[in-house]
């Protein structure tokens, strides 16, 4: 599919920007060594991430996208049978729990936010791990430092708590903690991050986790020998350099500006929009969600519908956002 064909795909939370030229170059150069197996420990990228985050390299695992890595983590955390997470949260969690032979304990939300108190109540001696999505997909909400710390105090120290920060780069709320800091004070905290969203490297499948050193080897041993390809490792390592970081920060700031504008415009049209700290908006349309998404598709705009709950709309290019707004204006409501 060409880039133009995908211009109005607002369903996948991808960046609207094309890959940075320096990262394309790294991938093109890497093609010269396609006959070679990748570094199975992602040594250079792991060392680069350790410097970037100021953590011990032994706590970092690089994996095949953060979803693929989470799958290995939940398998490695076994054998207890239950994985606690919020509902409505990332749709991959129940699937990952099931694939790892666990039962998913989906704890109802408090409005658009995780109900951390109910989640702590759901932790028992059957709990394999807890998954916390901050900011949350699909509702865009955030959890603050004090409430997360209070939650962590209630979870037994031998139960891993994975804080999934896939959308961290789009957060402007200063009350939201860096989960790596929480990992320093609470060793059972595992931080999950991705190069797919703000870094715009979704096709390369690179994610990483910061985990207790005692768990790192067990997680690595769960996977097939080669977790992440060479091109992904090289592009992700280059993406940590200051010139790329500066450009990505500019891009994220532009996405945040577009998010603020689109949310205000939609509210101006009478649409309820949940506060968002991500690169998408959550429209809690309830039983109108499916019909709305179908009408959007007929208008050439793809959005993600969660039937009977709402619709998630990725912040796209200015043109795509304007077309989405025109579509909403055209609706007979
Ligand atoms: C909250 C969350 N976590 C993880 C992922 C997985 O991303 P990836 O596997 O591309 O790193 C996604 C993708 O949409 C997500 O929304």
């Amino acid at each position: 599919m060409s880039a133009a064909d995908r211009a109005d795909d607002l369903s996948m939370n991808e960046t609207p920007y094309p890959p940075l030229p320096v990262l394309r170059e790294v991938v093109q150069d890497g093609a010269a060594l396609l006959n070679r197996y990748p570094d199975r420990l992602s040594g250079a990228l792991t060392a680069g991430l350790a410097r970037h985050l100021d953590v011990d390299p032994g706590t970092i695992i690089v994996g095949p996208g953060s979803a693929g890595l989470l799958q290995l983590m939940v398998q490695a955390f076994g054998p207890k049978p239950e994985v606690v997470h919020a509902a409505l949260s990332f749709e991959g969690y129940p699937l990952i729990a099931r694939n790892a032979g666990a039962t998913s304990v989906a704890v109802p939300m408090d409005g658009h936010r995780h109900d951390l108190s109910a989640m702590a109540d759901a932790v028992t001696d059957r709990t394999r791990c807890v998954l916390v999505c901050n900011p949350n997909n699909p509702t865009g909400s955030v959890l603050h430092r004090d409430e997360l710390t209070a939650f962590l105090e209630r979870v037994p120290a031998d139960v891993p708590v994975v804080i999934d920060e896939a959308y961290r780069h789009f957060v402007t709320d200063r009350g939201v903690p860096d989960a790596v800091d929480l990992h320093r004070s609470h060793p059972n905290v595992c931080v999950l991050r991705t190069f797919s969203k703000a870094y715009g490297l979704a096709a390369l499948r690179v994610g990483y986790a910061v985990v207790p050193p005692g768990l790192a080897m067990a997680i690595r041993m769960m996977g097939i020998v080669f977790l992440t390809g060479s091109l992904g490792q090289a592009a992700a390592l280059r993406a940590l350099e200051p010139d790329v970081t500066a450009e990505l920060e500019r891009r994220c700031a532009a996405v945040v500006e577009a998010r603020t504008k689109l949310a205000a415009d939609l509210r101006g049209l009478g649409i309820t929009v949940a506060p968002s700290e991500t690169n998408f908006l959550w429209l809690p349309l309830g039983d109108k969600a499916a019909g709305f998404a179908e009408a959007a598709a007929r208008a050439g705009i793809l959005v993600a519908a969660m039937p009977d709950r709402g619709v998630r709309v990725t912040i796209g290019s200015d043109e795509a956002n304007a077309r989405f707004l025109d579509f909403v204006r055209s609706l007979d409501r």
Side-chain angles (χ1 to χ4, degrees):
M1 202 183 259
S2 75
D5 288 336
R6 300 201 58 178
D8 287 348
D9 186 343
L10 304 180
S11 70
M12 296 292 285
N13 297 345
E14 298 154 332
T15 176
Y17 295 102
L20 284 174
V22 286
L23 301 185
R24 291 181 67 143
E25 251 168 57
V26 169
V27 172
Q28 275 153 11
D29 292 351
L33 288 175
L34 287 181
N35 54 320
R36 298 288 187 187
Y37 279 108
D39 169 2
R40 75 190 166 81
L41 295 178
S42 298
L45 178 55
T46 300
L49 285 165
R51 278 194 303 276
H52 188 71
L53 303 170
D54 193 20
V55 297
D56 184 319
T59 63
I60 293 178
I61 306 186
V62 173
S66 60
L69 183 53
L70 182 60
Q71 179 71 70
L72 300 178
M73 290 163 70
V74 176
Q75 278 170 232
F77 296 155
K80 289 184 183 166
E82 293 181 353
V83 174
V84 173
H85 60 81
L88 203 58
S89 193
F90 179 39
E91 70 252 47
Y93 295 157
L95 194 65
I96 284 170
R98 202 179 66 206
N99 290 344
T103 309
S104 132
V105 177
V107 179
M109 309 279 283
D110 176 9
H112 302 309
R113 311 177 75 236
H114 285 50
D115 185 339
L116 285 180
S117 168
M119 287 179 74
D121 290 342
V123 174
T124 67
D125 57 6
R126 296 166 57 79
T127 304
R128 184 183 298 194
C129 63
V130 183
L131 310 179
V132 175
C133 193
N134 197 34
N136 188 44
N137 175 14
T139 61
S141 61
V142 284
L143 298 163
H144 291 133
R145 187 173 293 103
D146 49 351
E147 52 189 340
L148 269 168
T149 308
F151 169 73
L152 291 170
E153 297 303 325
R154 289 191 56 196
V155 177
D158 62 345
V159 175
V161 176
V162 180
I163 303 187
D164 181 345
E165 294 192 326
Y167 300 98
R168 171 169 181 77
H169 286 85
F170 304 103
V171 173
T172 54
D173 181 337
R174 287 175 181 279
V176 177
D178 179 334
V180 176
D181 288 339
L182 295 175
H183 164 84
R184 289 193 183 96
S185 53
H186 298 78
N188 59 327
V189 167
C190 303
V191 188
L192 186 68
R193 293 196 180 156
T194 180
F195 283 92
S196 299
K197 308 294 181 184
Y199 288 100
L201 297 177
L204 290 176
R205 313 304 305 129
V206 195
Y208 67 91
V210 183
V211 302
L215 289 176
M217 187 49 80
I219 296 167
R220 230 173 252 125
M221 296 305 284
M222 274 298 148
I224 39 172
V225 180
F226 298 102
L227 296 184
T228 306
S230 312
L231 305 186
Q233 291 181 34
L237 180 61
R238 182 66 183 86
L240 298 176
E241 295 294 324
D243 59 330
V244 175
T245 306
E247 178 55 23
L248 291 181
E249 279 171 3
R250 272 192 290 277
R251 288 179 168 196
C252 289
V255 168
V256 167
E257 203 178 310
R259 170 181 89 199
T260 308
K261 179 176 181 326
L262 185 59
D265 289 346
L266 287 169
R267 288 185 187 120
L269 295 176
I271 301 276
T272 303
V273 183
S276 172
E277 289 283 321
T278 61
N279 66 334
F280 53 83
L281 296 177
W282 174 244
L283 316 183
L285 292 165
D287 60 7
K288 296 202 175 72
F292 181 98
E294 281 158 22
R298 284 195 296 276
I301 302 166
L302 300 183
V303 296
M306 320 281 152
D308 296 325
R309 305 300 288 262
V311 162
R312 189 191 68 203
V313 187
T314 306
I315 305 301
S317 64
D318 289 346
E319 296 74 23
N321 299 338
R323 279 191 289 271
F324 176 68
L325 203 58
D326 283 345
F327 156 72
V328 176
R329 265 193 211 103
S330 75
L331 289 175
D332 188 16
R333 281 173 294 118

